[in-house]
Amino acid sequence: MKAVLFLLLLGACVETSSTDCGHGMVCREGTVCHPIALDPADPSSTVIECVSPDQLALCAEQLDGIACGDNGTCYANACLPNVCGNGRKDANEDCDDGNFTLGDGCSPTCLAETCGNNVIDPIRTVGDTTVLDEQCDDGNSLSHDGCASTCKLEVLHWRRVSETPVDRTLAGMAIDYAGKRAVMFGGLTPEDPSTSSTDLSDVDELFGTALGDTWELSARGWTQIDSVPSPAPRSGMAMANDGTRTYMFGGSTSGSLGSPLNDFWALDGHQWTRLPPVDSDPNNIKIGGRIGASMAYWPGHGLILFGGKQNRFYVGDTWIYDGTSWAPYPPAANIAVEAREYATLTFDPVGNRLILAGGRNATSAELGSYALDESGWTPLNPQDAPNAFASVAAFDRQLRKVVVYGGKAKVGVVGDGSEGALWTLDGALWTKRSGGQPPTARVGATGGVEPISGHLLVFGGIFLGNCAPLTCTPAKIISGEDDVWQADLSGSSPAWSRRGFTRAPRLTQAAYAYDVDRARIVVYGGRRAAGDGSVAQASSSDVTWEIAGHSWFQMSAMGPPALDDAAMTYGAIGTMPSSAILFGGKKSGTGATDEFWFYANGQWTAGPAAGRPPPRYGAAMAYDPIARKALMFGGSNGTTANNETWVLDGTGWRNLQLSGPPARFAAAIAYDPRHHTIIMFGGHTDARDLDDVWQIDLGAANPMWTAPMLSSVLKPPARGEARFAWDAARRRMLLWGSTTDNSVWQWDGSKWEFLSAFDAPQPHGTPIFSPTPTGVILMHGGTDALQQVDGELLELVRESISSNTREAACVSGIDDDDDGKPGCEDEDCWQFCTPWCPPSTAAEPVSCPSDAPYCGDGICQTPREDCGNCATDCTSAVFAGCY
């Protein structure tokens, strides 16, 4: 009786119109059984869902993964609710692996456990190992904003900048064509050779201090690379680049007479990594440490390493590295090549071969030059060939020939082995090139092909002079300050030229502006310190400088007279091209002036004389790119300060005759693209310093100065001679500069915030304080409390202290900072790709001009854009620099 009652009750719970889908699945009335294959290639992955006619109608003929309804996703033409953990990647999910396990790549909230998802993923899986990973995640791939693109916390600190490498010889250099840069490591700072009975013709006595610094040389000049870890200091190493990474092998930590090293390193972007030891091959292959080996990349084959010296014995073996392991090459030796060190090895794409030239060993005989191709080594013309060692070689892309320069002849070798000889190779025939004005002759220089011009590049080395068997004239160490040379061999005689950068001058009260379009800082005039360069006593300067990267270029442009404390900004006025705009300043002996000039593309042009504001110095000037107008406020005529507000637009100068800020000079001013206002702080009056904030929108119908309502009582102490710089990564304005205060302050539009910055410099007023293309703030010069002018170059930067911060390779298509975004896809590259439009968010939008250039506008904006970072605009059809 109980069993019958149970069956009756069970029957009452089952609707007679329900559908049995099998496998225990029953769909209620009004729904149908709908099979869905989670993996179309795996029938066992099919599941059954109960769906209504409305669900089917929403996704009829729709692709899987399309959002549908209020919170659903189309699968197999049915709209299914989004649920994390169902094993399907719904429209609002990054992933869905059907579990709630941390660290398997898909979080319990169905977000991909990757940097940039705006969630701090505490762990991740590397192989079979779960490791701690993210320290922060702000949902973007922007560096220098407090959270690096690798999700490591960044702290604000001052970083001292090395402007150019110190003098050196026997350094290593490799050319990174993709990154359009030359990478240099180490070398030797030679001790000055004496005039005693010392034979220096074989450079065995170049045993100075080994260097361990890494530098890159690009169109912006020298930039030092900081990497942890980094190879030990050394010289005489072999270096080459395979189009992806720069490799380094061997060398010595104590000059030519030291013990050879056999460590093997790779530089990936800005990070050195030590590769497995070359002598750990399972086949017990032993390369051994060596000094003065030669290495080059052979496309389609691998890295080729030749020769060198092992424990005072010269070797002539050849090895190949295929990206994983080393092996002898060629497998069957066809010809013996003389053992040697400090030879050149260069890839010749015309013949798809490597060219070996020069070098030295224990004999006094000349060493032949050889070509390595698919058949092995082949001797080249034995007559009239380079016979020097420690030379520089490259394949000149315009000449389409291998070029060898410099070096020193072996002892006892008859012929031209001077440090200034230059040779080219055509097929198997060497030709010595003469004429032109070469740089100082040298041995042990480093170089290669300049990655943009395609010409031979030479840096450093040492001039040994004329050496007899037992004596040598005093050597001359080549200066590294301005000693980067290029050789254009396209004419009848070589045309040598310097790259032109030098060390920073010691300046204060200089006029400067950031050239947005060319990604460099323009500097004019200022007061130059006594003893700086050829300046005998402190005086106003009439020199124009351009700062690219960390390098200073002294321009030859003729323009304004010597000035200090002039006002300058950068922008496009009316229909004029974008220019640096200079007004006023102070001339020695005559006081305040009304000088008015435009500077663009290396040339100064005087502005019209009519309608200029009265003479002044110390005025504040900024440019509004939306209104396309420049504003100038205040200044002093040498007797009194004023409160005039002048605007420069397509019709000329106009005095707006506005009320608001009291009279002042030496105020801080800049354009805030987030709030679309020009912001001004502090300055000197005739009697005191100020600490007030004012703002103005030049795009308004009736522009007016307003004092923003402060949301906090905290603010910087009153001061003049401070500077503003826009911090694009954090969308904030930074203030620095004073003869008595070295603190950093941040303005967000309504309140001040004191920022703690490590390693702060001494206080300086009227410095250069400017944004840069890499997103950091550069500071230079200024005057301290004792009226001393500083020459130190620093950067104010947010960097990770737990790992090496790597800058994005915005001049190439390489993902240098490992955020998964190469070239213009990387937010860090906005200065190159959308220079007038800083990073913006929905919560903090940034205004930018409607006609601002950007990657994809069909115009190759040289030199910012090229075929590496913006191939869309800079194809070979429109831009000759693409190759």
Side-chain angles (χ1 to χ4, degrees), residues 328-688:
Y329 190 88
N334 63 322
I335 189 170
V337 178
E338 303 99 328
R340 66 188 77 188
E341 68 170 349
Y342 293 118
T344 62
L345 188 64
T346 313
F347 174 61
D348 174 9
V350 173
N352 190 23
R353 59 183 183 169
L354 298 180
I355 302 299
L356 179 74
R360 67 164 182 186
N361 58 20
T363 71
S364 59
E366 289 189 25
L367 300 176
S369 57
Y370 295 81
L372 177 65
D373 56 20
E374 300 287 353
S375 62
W377 289 104
T378 302
L380 298 176
N381 182 13
Q383 303 298 322
D384 295 327
N387 55 35
F389 62 90
S391 304
V392 179
F395 177 78
D396 189 301
R397 293 203 316 276
Q398 295 191 9
L399 197 64
R400 307 295 290 171
K401 296 178 182 179
V402 170
V403 181
V404 177
Y405 171 76
K408 189 68 179 177
K410 293 174 57 181
V411 175
V413 171
V414 178
D416 189 348
S418 67
E419 296 94 333
L422 191 151
W423 298 80
T424 60
L425 177 66
D426 188 354
L429 180 65
W430 288 99
T431 302
K432 183 183 176 185
R433 299 290 299 272
S434 59
Q437 296 294 324
T440 304
R442 62 197 66 202
V443 59
T446 188
V449 62
E450 207 284 326
I452 296 177
S453 71
H455 297 313
L456 175 69
L457 175 74
V458 177
F459 169 74
I462 186 169
F463 174 64
L464 293 178
N466 299 313
C467 295
L470 295 178
T471 184
C472 192
T473 57
K476 176 183 179 183
I477 301 172
I478 307 299
S479 169
E481 178 177 326
D482 187 16
D483 193 62
V484 176
W485 291 83
Q486 294 174 201
D488 184 350
L489 306 178
S490 59
S492 58
S493 61
W496 289 94
S497 60
R498 287 181 185 265
R499 284 290 298 273
F501 41 77
T502 185
R503 298 188 188 278
R506 292 166 56 199
L507 289 173
T508 187
Q509 296 179 334
Y512 68 94
Y514 180 66
D515 183 333
V516 180
D517 296 289
R518 294 193 302 146
R520 53 181 55 200
I521 304 168
V522 177
V523 181
Y524 183 77
R527 193 158 187 81
R528 201 163 178 182
D532 183 50
S534 59
V535 178
Q537 59 184 9
S539 59
S540 299
S541 171
D542 62 353
V543 177
T544 305
W545 304 83
E546 292 188 3
I547 309 174
H550 300 148
S551 298
W552 288 67
F553 295 80
Q554 183 171 338
M555 311 303 290
S556 58
M558 300 298 293
L563 297 171
D564 55 83
D565 218 2
M568 186 184 282
T569 190
Y570 181 85
I573 302 299
T575 59
M576 292 186 60
S578 295
S579 309
I581 306 162
L582 178 144
F583 187 86
K586 183 166 43 179
K587 285 197 293 189
S588 298
T590 60
T593 72
D594 62 352
E595 294 289 337
F596 177 33
W597 294 80
F598 295 92
Y599 177 83
N601 299 318
Q603 298 293 326
W604 283 102
T605 303
R612 294 184 186 183
R616 68 195 61 207
Y617 62 83
M621 185 183 288
Y623 175 74
D624 184 332
I626 307 299
R628 296 178 71 89
K629 299 175 182 178
L631 175 141
M632 183 174 68
F633 181 85
S636 173
N637 61 11
T639 304
T640 59
N642 71 74
N643 67 341
E644 297 172 350
T645 303
W646 288 81
V647 165
L648 176 66
D649 58 20
T651 63
W653 287 101
R654 288 183 296 123
N655 187 344
L656 298 186
Q657 298 181 342
L658 299 178
S659 61
R664 70 192 67 202
F665 64 99
I669 194 168
Y671 174 73
D672 179 348
R674 177 186 166 198
H675 300 97
H676 189 192
T677 58
I678 290 175
I679 184 83
M680 184 173 67
F681 168 80
H684 298 307
T685 68
D686 297 331
R688 62 188 179 89

Side-chain angles (χ1 to χ4, degrees), residues 100-169:
F100 300 103
T101 304
L102 277 171
D104 62 356
C106 187
S107 75
T109 57
C110 288
L111 291 174
E113 291 176 311
T114 59
C115 181
N117 63 4
N118 208 28
V119 175
I120 300 176
D121 301 308
I123 58 177
R124 65 186 173 102
T125 301
V126 178
D128 297 328
T129 306
T130 300
V131 298
L132 292 174
D133 188 27
E134 297 182 354
Q135 300 171 346
C136 59
D137 196 323
D138 54 6
N140 64 53
S141 60
L142 199 64
S143 293
H144 307 308
D145 62 351
C147 184
S149 57
T150 53
C151 286
K152 296 293 186 284
L153 285 170
E154 296 173 321
V155 297
L156 187 67
H157 74 103
W158 290 92
R159 180 171 63 190
R160 268 67 183 174
V161 174
S162 298
E163 302 166 47
T164 58
V166 298
D167 312 339
R168 67 191 65 205
T169 189

Side-chain angles (χ1 to χ4, degrees), residues 571-804:
I573 302 299
T575 59
M576 292 186 60
S578 295
S579 309
I581 306 162
L582 178 144
F583 187 86
K586 183 166 43 179
K587 285 197 293 189
S588 298
T590 60
T593 72
D594 62 352
E595 294 289 337
F596 177 33
W597 294 80
F598 295 92
Y599 177 83
N601 299 318
Q603 298 293 326
W604 283 102
T605 303
R612 294 184 186 183
R616 68 195 61 207
Y617 62 83
M621 185 183 288
Y623 175 74
D624 184 332
I626 307 299
R628 296 178 71 89
K629 299 175 182 178
L631 175 141
M632 183 174 68
F633 181 85
S636 173
N637 61 11
T639 304
T640 59
N642 71 74
N643 67 341
E644 297 172 350
T645 303
W646 288 81
V647 165
L648 176 66
D649 58 20
T651 63
W653 287 101
R654 288 183 296 123
N655 187 344
L656 298 186
Q657 298 181 342
L658 299 178
S659 61
R664 70 192 67 202
F665 64 99
I669 194 168
Y671 174 73
D672 179 348
R674 177 186 166 198
H675 300 97
H676 189 192
T677 58
I678 290 175
I679 184 83
M680 184 173 67
F681 168 80
H684 298 307
T685 68
D686 297 331
R688 62 188 179 89
D689 292 340
L690 300 168
D691 63 357
D692 52 349
V693 179
W694 294 86
Q695 62 188 19
I696 186 171
D697 179 1
L698 292 185
N702 295 297
M704 298 181 61
W705 284 104
T706 60
M709 184 70 68
L710 299 182
S711 59
S712 171
V713 296
L714 187 67
K715 60 182 179 179
R719 69 186 68 188
E721 303 175 12
R723 305 297 198 200
F724 267 135
W726 173 248
D727 183 353
R730 291 178 64 90
R731 294 170 292 278
R732 301 290 188 272
M733 196 72 73
L734 298 186
L735 178 80
W736 193 84
S738 166
T739 57
T740 58
D741 188 341
N742 65 352
S743 58
V744 179
W745 291 83
Q746 175 178 279
W747 172 255
D748 73 351
S750 63
K751 70 176 183 300
W752 288 102
E753 180 182 356
F754 170 80
L755 300 181
S756 178
F758 298 101
D759 302 323
Q762 293 298 312
H764 283 85
T766 62
I768 295 169
F769 189 64
S770 173
T772 68
T774 58
V776 303
I777 308 298
L778 181 140
M779 193 282 287
H780 173 72
T783 308
D784 63 16
L786 299 177
Q787 299 302 304
Q788 299 296 311
V789 180
D790 195 2
E792 193 172 27
L793 196 65
L794 299 100
E795 288 178 331
L796 182 60
V797 58
R798 289 179 177 85
E799 286 184 314
S800 170
I801 59 175
S802 60
S803 64
N804 186 56

Side-chain angles (χ1 to χ4, degrees), residues 286-336:
K286 299 292 184 182
I287 296 181
R290 53 190 72 196
I291 305 171
S294 307
M295 187 162 66
Y297 177 63
W298 190 3
H301 296 76
L303 293 177
I304 299 296
L305 180 75
F306 173 83
K309 187 168 67 173
Q310 296 180 319
N311 298 320
R312 300 183 183 275
F313 293 97
Y314 299 93
V315 293
D317 50 353
T318 307
W319 298 83
I320 186 169
Y321 179 73
D322 62 5
T324 303
S325 60
W326 290 93
Y329 190 88
N334 63 322
I335 189 170

Side-chain angles (χ1 to χ4, degrees), residues 239-250:
M239 289 181 66
N241 184 280
D242 68 353
T244 303
R245 299 197 291 179
T246 294
Y247 295 89
M248 181 172 68
F249 172 77

